[in-house]
Amino acid sequence: MFTSEMRESIKKVEATRKERMATEPRRMTAEEKDALLKAYHPDYRADGFAEIKVGPNKGQKAPRELTELLHSNSRLLKDKVDLSKVDYETDVLVIGGGGAGSSAAIEANEAGADVMIVTKLRIGDANTMMAEGGIQAADKENDSPVQHYLDAFGGGHFAARPELLRRLVMEAPDAIRWLNELGVMFDKDEDGRMVTTHGGGTSRKRMHACKDYSGAEIMRNLRDEVLNRKIPVIEFTSAVELIKDDKGQVAGAVLLNMETGDYLVAKAKTVVIATGGAGRLHYQNFPTSNHYGATADGLILGYRAGAPLLYQDTIQYHPTGVAYPSQIFGALVTEKVRSLGAMLVNKDGEAYAHPLETRDVSASAIIRECANGKGVETPLGSGVWLDTPMIEILGGEGTIEKRIPAMFRMYLNYGIDMRKEPILVYPTLHYQNGGLEIGGEGFTKAIGNLLVAGEAVGGIHGRNRLMGNSLLDIIVFGRNAGKAAAKKAKEVELGSMNLDHIDAYAKELEAAGIETGAVSPLLLPKYARHER
Ligand code: MEZ
């Protein structure tokens, strides 16, 4: 499976393994990290960004591809919709059927509200499903939410919104309890205690996992709970625009049936945006670990309705995406592989950085090695080695199959036995650190009955997120949004519905001299095949 050049390099990895394993790799100083990020992290590449010319974040920068969508027209400018014909009416409308949306719907239902989920693909087609390595929570004797806060705050470059991060870490143990009671099969030892590991930037072992398909196991249980509660789920139907009322509140959303192309009107007293990430925009031409529908839709819907973004200019590139074989280019190689002991090694067999630096630092170090000729050439670029046989040496024979069975099988499908041979990795677009700005209860600052949860939120993690804090935030902020939306729905009196904000936005685009035939939200990646 490997080329002869790769095989030559593997010999060097093997030759240095014993010595590398005998020496604790050095951690970088804060100054070294800063210099590395500035020189190699994609967030610092000026040509990857463009200025936003309209809306609440006018004058700030965003990735080019996102700016293009923010500068696009609404689909509804050309296709008129009759708001007097209401197809669905509910207390709480949840847009998005991933982990955050499902958690929100479950809690809104629990609080007695009428709730429905609308999702452009199927329930569970979401980044939650793709998450592998685990979910953080400080629930062991040697740990505390304070310690968790300090790790995440430092890892996020001290930029996280304190009220959001505080909620994340304080409510983490209860999130694990809730999931466990829903039926999530966490890894446990013989005494029934949760098995926990480190992630990059954690000072305690607090990563709870379901082998290396933690997100799939969590999503499976959330989906079952939604279906058992008989919460209506409208699948293959996208929200394409929020509806507002004459008091400036949101009043629901215009939906697009993805199969028939028909528009539908959903009226709601509160709306929760839980549309997830943006990996399928392929910022700076990176491959992505994200699911097919990750096209930043919620950011566009909220922004056009007047809700500001926060940290939209900071993106997470997971250090270890598959660099080879090409068939699975960009797929996630869970950080758990490094938690279990695998080192990052360049083509000469040198461990050039500590394997558990935070993600932005680790990704930058890989990009640096490859840029400086220390990467291994692949058909689609280059990569560095992740020395996976170390896991079997450190943890004992069988550790890979037991702890990361999905990863093991994924590579075996391509003739690579990661127990015996290292694997090649390169950063992949994984997560949007930024999103719509919210307060502690999940409400957007600008619109009093519009909430956001999950990856569409900006500010929980600051400018870099630690492993396992995303599966956590979808649960904590999803649950809270559901509870808060249900409560708020009791006091909301809707006025007459309109789409005036769309015309106002179009006028802003015109005033800024932006002429475009493009429409947003994108809904599906640019390379999607549209067959009807
Ligand atoms: O939080 C994540 O992004 C995560 C758990 C990813 C992984 O490496 O498995």
Side-chain angles (χ1 to χ4, degrees):
M1 185 65 206
F2 289 122
T3 63
S4 51
E5 286 81 12
M6 289 172 186
R7 291 236 159 265
E8 281 310 303
S9 178
I10 289 178
K11 283 186 195 151
K12 294 183 188 162
V13 174
E14 288 169 345
T16 59
R17 189 174 288 145
K18 203 163 167 206
E19 199 186 322
R20 279 189 282 108
M21 286 183 69
T23 342
E24 171 69 13
R26 189 176 74 81
R27 294 264 183 191
M28 282 180 225
T29 63
E31 292 73 25
E32 284 170 333
K33 288 183 200 175
D34 280 350
L36 178 66
L37 289 172
K38 284 195 180 109
Y40 293 100
H41 195 278
D43 278 0
Y44 288 87
R45 286 197 59 143
D47 59 356
F49 295 85
E51 187 187 326
I52 304 171
K53 299 262 172 60
V54 290
N57 293 75
K58 186 172 165 176
Q60 296 179 11
K61 63 172 186 160
R64 280 189 178 283
E65 299 78 356
L66 180 62
T67 306
E68 195 184 300
L69 296 178
L70 293 170
H71 288 176
S72 295
N73 296 314
S74 168
R75 290 165 193 272
L76 302 184
L77 278 180
K78 54 177 179 52
D79 299 337
K80 295 294 173 205
V81 173
D82 179 6
L83 294 185
S84 68
K85 196 186 138 292
V86 173
D87 297 281
Y88 301 103
E89 190 158 358
T90 185
D91 294 332
V92 181
L93 172 66
V94 177
I95 305 174
S102 300
S103 302
I106 293 166
E107 289 292 3
N109 172 275
E110 181 66 24
D114 245 3
V115 52
M116 67 179 249
I117 296 177
V118 56
T119 177
K120 68 182 172 187
L121 297 172
R122 297 161 305 177
I123 183 167
D125 286 336
N127 283 345
T128 302
M129 193 64 120
M130 320 285 284
E132 297 175 355
I135 169 166
Q136 288 203 45
D139 58 2
K140 290 209 162 156
E141 313 69 45
N142 68 340
D143 202 358
S144 73
V146 173
Q147 203 65 42
H148 188 177
Y149 185 102
L150 293 173
D151 290 348
F153 200 50
H157 301 280
F158 310 99
R161 284 290 154 95
E163 77 273 23
L164 302 185
L165 186 53
R166 182 175 188 281
R167 189 177 275 271
L168 182 81
V169 300
M170 294 298 287
E171 295 180 17
D174 191 56
I176 299 290
R177 182 203 55 75
W178 188 69
L179 290 173
N180 195 46
E181 283 172 14
L182 280 184
V184 172
M185 308 265 275
F186 285 109
D187 296 344
K188 294 182 184 144
D189 64 20
E190 306 80 56
D191 300 329
R193 279 170 60 86
M194 300 262 181
V195 176
T196 50
T197 49
H198 272 300
T202 60
S203 60
R204 299 287 187 277
K205 290 182 176 176
R206 67 171 78 90
M207 202 69 58
H208 303 60
C210 315
K211 303 202 183 291
D212 57 349
Y213 37 77
S214 309
E217 171 65 4
I218 289 172
M219 192 65 239
R220 183 179 70 79
N221 281 273
L222 293 173
R223 186 199 55 203
D224 286 354
E225 187 64 17
V226 166
L227 300 181
N228 287 341
R229 284 173 179 260
K230 307 209 176 335
I231 296 170
V233 182
I234 318 297
E235 295 185 320
F236 298 111
T237 301
S238 308
V240 291
E241 219 56 83
L242 293 176
I243 301 169
K244 293 182 86 172
D245 72 1
D246 52 3
K247 303 176 195 172
Q249 307 178 109
V250 285
V254 177
L255 313 179
L256 172 69
N257 181 318
M258 301 284 281
E259 287 167 319
T260 63
D262 292 333
Y263 289 112
L264 300 156
V265 173
K267 184 175 181 182
K269 292 181 179 156
T270 53
V271 176
V272 180
I273 292 179
T275 48
R280 292 285 166 166
L281 301 186
H282 296 285
Y283 298 144
Q284 302 190 28
N285 287 324
F286 270 83
T288 186
S289 58
N290 282 190
H291 85 112
Y292 194 66
T295 49
D297 301 348
L299 272 50
I300 307 300
L301 298 182
Y303 194 75
R304 218 178 255 143
L309 298 168
L310 180 67
Y311 304 148
Q312 70 283 348
D313 58 335
T314 154
I315 309 301
Q316 178 161 94
Y317 298 86
H318 193 295
T320 58
V322 173
Y324 183 85
S326 306
Q327 296 94 317
I328 47 171
F329 184 57
L332 183 62
V333 175
T334 175
E335 194 163 319
K336 192 167 174 187
V337 173
R338 282 173 286 140
S339 306
L340 294 174
M343 276 180 170
L344 287 162
V345 182
N346 68 21
K347 77 166 187 192
D348 297 324
E350 296 156 350
Y352 57 86
H354 191 287
L356 287 177
E357 294 287 4
T358 54
R359 283 187 177 167
D360 51 354
V361 172
S362 210
S364 304
I366 295 174
I367 294 171
R368 178 195 64 200
E369 291 302 294
C370 292
N372 292 344
K374 294 279 191 175
V376 179
E377 266 186 50
T378 65
L380 295 174
S382 57
V384 297
W385 295 109
L386 193 46
D387 193 5
T388 46
M390 285 178 65
I391 297 174
E392 297 280 288
I393 300 170
L394 290 166
E397 209 175 304
T399 306
I400 288 186
E401 263 194 278
K402 184 165 177 224
R403 304 289 299 275
I404 45 173
M407 192 84 351
F408 172 63
R409 277 198 296 274
M410 176 172 86
Y411 275 100
L412 217 50
N413 278 337
Y414 297 96
I416 295 170
D417 184 344
M418 64 190 290
R419 297 171 302 187
K420 302 195 178 106
E421 293 165 319
I423 56 177
L424 279 169
V425 294
Y426 190 80
T428 185
L429 175 49
H430 186 59
Y431 186 78
Q432 60 187 7
N433 298 316
L436 293 161
E437 188 175 1
I438 58 165
E441 295 299 321
F443 291 100
T444 55
K445 299 269 167 85
I447 305 165
N449 61 340
L450 176 64
L451 301 96
V452 192
E455 196 173 340
V457 172
I460 302 172
H461 311 284
R463 293 188 162 271
N464 176 59
R465 176 177 66 77
L466 300 189
M467 171 191 183
N469 275 349
S470 175
L471 277 180
L472 177 59
D473 92 43
I474 59 167
I475 303 300
V476 168
F477 287 89
R479 291 181 73 195
N480 272 302
K483 290 178 200 166
K487 190 166 168 224
K488 181 81 181 174
K490 290 197 181 121
E491 65 196 47
V492 171
E493 297 275 342
L494 291 178
S496 72
M497 300 201 290
N498 65 69
L499 292 168
D500 294 352
H501 63 287
I502 295 175
D503 294 317
Y505 197 86
K507 287 203 181 88
E508 261 203 83
L509 287 174
E510 198 185 330
I514 297 166
E515 269 182 50
T516 170
V519 292
S520 64
L522 193 59
L523 308 180
L524 293 175
K526 281 195 171 155
Y527 42 82
R529 290 204 333 248
H530 296 274
E531 286 164 1
R532 204 171 271 156

